[in-house]
């Protein structure tokens, strides 16, 4: 038997679909929703419906777009279309956009390679990326996959498949966070910071 009356139990189960939401948190959310005014609850429900209806994937970079056509970045003439920054998820595009000064475009892979989870290049947008590079209009590909084993594997794989096209590829250097103290950095972070060091005057 369910712990709560049916409508509450139903909403609890819906909240549990979200990452990081366990049974307790889901129950808290369900009861908080119950406390919303009718108008607020309707707006909440409508926002969920709208996100599915109004958010599309850009057919070029696979980032999120408000229309079914190319996204704002891909269609902007202020962006340098000869540079592609490859990221794992649409959220990463927003993070990278906070880096002032980057004027290139993006390519969202939709995840990273993982032999354990059976994620192969066919599950990602790799062939579309190769297609973009194969046009010959791309000079540089910056691989900004996450500093995780999956992100590293993906970066190495991409560098290999893009090599025949004579495009410059680089991997984002990960290191000590700004404002961080090397005393507290773990070994992997320090190693990467050392590896990604830049020479003065370059
Ligand atoms: Zn796009």
């Amino acid at each position: 038997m369910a712990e709560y009356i049916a409508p509450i139990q139903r909403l609890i189960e819906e909240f549990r679909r979200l990452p990081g939401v366990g049974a307790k948190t889901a129950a808290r959310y369900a009861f908080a929703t119950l406390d919303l005014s009718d108008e607020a609850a309707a707006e909440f429900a409508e926002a969920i419906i709208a996100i599915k209806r109004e958010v599309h994937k850009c057919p070029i970079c696979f980032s999120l777009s408000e229309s079914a056509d190319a996204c704002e970045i891909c269609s902007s003439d202020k962006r340098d279309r000869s540079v592609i920054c490859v990221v794992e998820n649409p959220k990463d595009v927003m993070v990278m956009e906070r880096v002032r000064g980057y004027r290139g475009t993006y390519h969202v892979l939709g995840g990273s390679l993982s032999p354990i989870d059976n994620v192969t290049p066919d599950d990602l947008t790799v062939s579309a990326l190769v297609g973009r590079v194969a046009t010959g209009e791309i000079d540089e590909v910056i691989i900004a996959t996450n500093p995780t084993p999956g992100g590293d594997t993906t970066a190495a794989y991409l560098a290999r498949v893009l090599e025949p096209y004579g495009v410059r590829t680089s991997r984002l250097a990960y290191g000590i966070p700004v404002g961080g103290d090397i005393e507290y950095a773990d070994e992997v972070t320090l190693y990467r910071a050392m590896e990604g060091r830049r020479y003065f005057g370059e």
Side-chain angles (χ1 to χ4, degrees), residues 119-196:
V119 182
T120 69
D122 290 338
D123 298 310
L124 307 176
T125 62
V126 172
S127 62
L129 174 66
V130 173
R132 289 176 74 183
V133 172
T135 59
E137 287 161 23
I138 309 298
D139 295 330
E140 186 177 0
V141 175
I142 301 162
I143 304 168
T145 49
N146 292 329
T148 56
D152 289 343
T153 306
T154 310
Y157 173 80
L158 291 178
R160 206 168 60 235
V161 296
L162 295 176
E163 216 208 312
Y165 300 95
V167 69
R168 282 179 75 201
T169 54
S170 58
R171 171 99 165 100
L172 220 61
Y174 293 92
I176 313 198
V178 174
D181 191 322
I182 57 166
E183 192 182 340
Y184 303 113
D186 62 88
E187 270 170 55
V188 180
T189 306
L190 269 179
Y191 174 74
R192 283 175 184 277
M194 183 64 96
E195 253 197 334

Side-chain angles (χ1 to χ4, degrees), residues 58 60-63 70-71 73-74:
C58 170
I60 300 167
C61 72
F62 300 92
S63 181
C71 72
I73 294 172
C74 286

Side-chain angles (χ1 to χ4, degrees), residues 31-63:
F31 281 100
T33 308
L34 190 60
D35 286 339
L36 296 176
S37 68
D38 287 358
E39 292 78 24
E43 266 172 44
F44 188 7
E46 171 53 28
I48 292 171
I49 294 164
I51 205 171
K52 294 307 292 180
R53 193 179 50 214
E54 293 164 14
V55 178
H56 304 270
K57 268 187 190 157
C58 170
I60 300 167
C61 72
F62 300 92
S63 181

